[in-house]
Amino acid sequence: MQSLQSAPNYSETERTYDCDVAIVGGGVVGATLAAALKDSGLDVVLIEANTLEGAAARERGYALSPLSGQIFEGIGVWDKIFPHIGKYRHIYLSDADNPRIVKFKTADLGTEFLGYVGEHTVMLKALQSFINQDCDNARWLCPARPSQITYSVEGAVIELETDDGQCRQLKTRLVVGADGARSRIREWAGIKTNGWKYWQSCVTFMITHEAARNDIAFERFWPDGPMGVLPLTENRCHIVWTAPHDEAKALLNLDEETFLKELEYYTGGLLGKLSLTSDRLLFPVQLFQSEQYVQPRLALIGDAAHRCHPVAGQGLNLGIRDAAALAQVLSEAYLRGEDIGDIRVLKRYERWRKKENLAILGFTDFLDRMFSNSWWPIVQLRRFGLWLLRTVPPLKVFALRLMTGFLGRRPSLSKL
């Protein structure tokens, strides 16, 4: 990515804008975009409805691919994140309690780790600190929320409301919607989505365990839904337990002792004695793809643009790649003297990310439907597929590269 010194200067007339890029949503994906624009020469404002402390205060963990780690390293924030997150060198994939397990290892990918597990608080606080200390071109507006956006040929005007009841306007060249799956920015723009709600919900929580090692990520497929077990620091794990809606609600309401007994059964006793260390949270599972990622003066990233089944831990990684790709497109366009809000510029980002995201959405949907199924022919078919993964190394490597993001186009940040 080019430095600020190479960028052309805007004229005094153009400086009537309050900023070049207004990012609505200061979560991990929105903050990643702001951080990735550090050396772009663009003036960035992050609009967050919560306080910075409130935005970071969530008990949730995310699977991070090696590519996401490389993007954070390219940005310059990885050294703030890496010491405080879980790392895994193995992935064990199994069909319920079937003993024939597919085992992925670092040698299959040629990396030190197959992935990481970051807690929301750790990651977002690191990004917030990096933006505040190292990004002279970025600033926060929070707590603040848009109440209306007016787009024009020249730019966009965002009407903002703050917690003290004050209203103000922000004029920007480009609006970026990073405000999640229920994006108001997407809704106001009239962008439709295609997809469906699943018959399943996820229960997420954190545990401690007594297993001798903590560098294995487990994906255990049960007929009711997959269970992801992701290693955190200090012999802790973040678990995503998928089940039909009613069963998931029942799991949420079980007393702790009964719940842990159920969990020990579903984890096959692989982790020894378990203790619950967080609240249990419930969210329904949904898949969708926005019909457009961009319009003139508008771009969508992360869950505002797409959402997939949580199986294989792809969701946040897609958003991080969106942010890195959009930052690259905007930076390169600015250096060429192009209007960053022009639809021709923004279409470059859409062409890059939309097809790649659709492939992952299809992959996660296929996994869930194939394994959340007890129909005998499907059971035999998927176990044959697992046999192929175990016995055909090129197929195993292909599947691993797909899950880690290395099959698609890599942002320049990841190559630094």
Side-chain angles (χ1 to χ4, degrees):
M1 196 170 289
Q2 300 293 325
S3 65
L4 173 58
Q5 287 72 21
S6 304
N9 293 321
Y10 284 144
S11 69
E12 289 302 315
T13 302
E14 290 173 317
R15 283 299 180 190
T16 59
Y17 290 90
D18 297 305
C19 65
D20 300 311
V21 183
I23 304 168
V24 181
V28 173
V29 173
T32 297
L33 174 60
L37 290 170
K38 172 180 179 288
D39 297 319
S40 66
L42 295 166
D43 187 21
V44 179
V45 170
L46 268 161
I47 302 167
E48 168 55 41
N50 212 331
T51 63
L52 294 186
E53 295 79 10
R58 293 180 63 189
E59 289 186 324
R60 188 170 179 185
Y62 304 101
L64 290 175
S65 70
L67 180 56
S68 292
Q70 290 177 9
I71 289 170
F72 284 138
E73 187 172 4
I75 289 172
V77 72
W78 191 229
D79 63 331
K80 299 176 183 290
I81 296 174
F82 183 79
H84 309 293
I85 62 175
K87 297 99 176 168
Y88 53 91
R89 291 185 169 88
H90 309 268
I91 300 173
Y92 287 3
L93 198 116
S94 60
D95 187 1
D97 52 3
N98 188 291
R100 296 185 179 91
I101 298 173
V102 179
K103 297 183 178 181
F104 298 95
K105 55 186 183 296
T106 52
D108 297 325
L109 195 62
T111 57
E112 184 178 2
F113 300 102
L114 290 185
Y116 316 93
V117 187
E119 293 174 77
H120 176 86
T121 300
V122 167
M123 295 172 60
L124 190 50
K125 280 188 174 180
L127 284 162
Q128 290 172 349
S129 175
F130 181 81
I131 291 167
N132 291 335
Q133 296 176 14
D134 298 285
C135 300
D136 294 336
N137 66 321
R139 61 192 188 278
W140 295 88
L141 280 179
C142 62
R145 56 193 61 80
S147 59
Q148 182 179 328
I149 303 178
T150 304
Y151 296 95
S152 67
V153 174
E154 294 81 15
V157 177
I158 305 175
E159 305 284 344
L160 293 168
E161 295 178 352
T162 60
D163 279 3
D164 59 7
Q166 298 295 314
C167 297
R168 63 165 293 182
Q169 287 187 340
L170 184 74
K171 188 175 182 182
T172 182
R173 297 175 183 280
L174 175 67
V175 177
V176 178
D179 53 337
R182 298 179 180 177
S183 171
R184 297 180 73 189
I185 305 305
R186 183 187 68 231
E187 180 184 344
W188 289 343
I191 297 176
K192 296 181 179 180
T193 62
N194 297 312
W196 48 81
K197 294 180 179 179
Y198 287 90
W199 64 96
Q200 299 161 317
S201 290
C202 287
V203 181
T204 66
F205 52 94
M206 297 179 190
I207 60 161
T208 58
H209 62 82
E210 296 182 346
R213 60 188 302 178
N214 197 38
D215 64 346
I216 303 171
F218 298 92
E219 191 76 63
R220 293 174 66 81
F221 292 100
W222 295 90
D224 289 339
M227 172 183 282
V229 181
L230 305 171
L232 292 164
T233 56
E234 301 169 348
N235 258 40
R236 297 178 301 139
C237 285
H238 176 70
I239 295 183
V240 182
W241 189 345
T242 308
H245 297 306
D246 289 344
E247 292 182 25
K249 290 177 183 177
L251 289 171
L252 194 71
N253 295 321
L254 286 177
D255 65 86
E256 186 170 323
E257 182 180 354
T258 305
F259 178 77
L260 289 174
K261 285 182 179 178
E262 284 286 297
L263 181 60
E264 287 177 9
Y265 169 76
Y266 275 88
T267 54
L270 297 168
L271 300 175
K273 184 175 176 57
L274 309 177
S275 300
L276 197 60
T277 60
S278 75
D279 292 334
R280 286 166 273 176
L281 303 176
L282 181 75
F283 65 90
V285 185
Q286 182 181 13
L287 179 148
F288 70 77
Q289 171 89 309
S290 295
E291 290 186 353
Q292 297 93 36
Y293 282 16
V294 299
Q295 288 183 353
R297 306 289 166 191
L298 171 65
L300 302 176
I301 60 175
D303 282 359
H306 49 78
R307 196 167 191 184
C308 65
H309 196 288
V311 64
Q314 296 296 308
L316 182 64
N317 293 294
L318 297 184
I320 291 169
R321 296 203 286 274
D322 288 348
L326 182 59
Q328 181 175 329
V329 167
L330 297 180
S331 299
E332 291 172 351
Y334 174 63
L335 288 172
R336 288 194 290 262
E338 297 177 288
D339 181 352
I340 61 168
D342 187 281
I343 190 64
R344 291 169 294 183
V345 170
L346 298 175
K347 280 288 185 180
R348 297 169 196 160
Y349 158 70
E350 183 180 71
R351 286 193 294 268
W352 179 349
R353 294 300 304 148
K354 195 174 183 183
K355 287 183 179 179
E356 289 191 13
N357 288 336
L358 183 61
I360 297 299
L361 265 62
F363 171 66
T364 60
D365 184 66
F366 171 79
L367 282 180
D368 185 55
R369 293 181 187 277
M370 178 65 69
F371 284 91
S372 301
N373 197 312
S374 55
W375 190 41
W376 186 84
I378 296 295
V379 173
Q380 299 308 307
L381 180 61
R382 71 185 184 228
R383 291 190 175 176
F384 174 70
L386 293 176
W387 177 81
L388 287 176
L389 282 178
R390 290 195 305 273
T391 56
V392 182
L395 183 60
K396 187 178 181 182
V397 171
F398 176 85
L400 193 56
R401 288 178 62 83
L402 177 64
M403 289 188 290
T404 53
F406 287 144
L407 281 184
R409 178 184 171 189
R410 293 173 60 183
S412 59
L413 278 171
S414 70
K415 302 173 187 176
L416 296 178

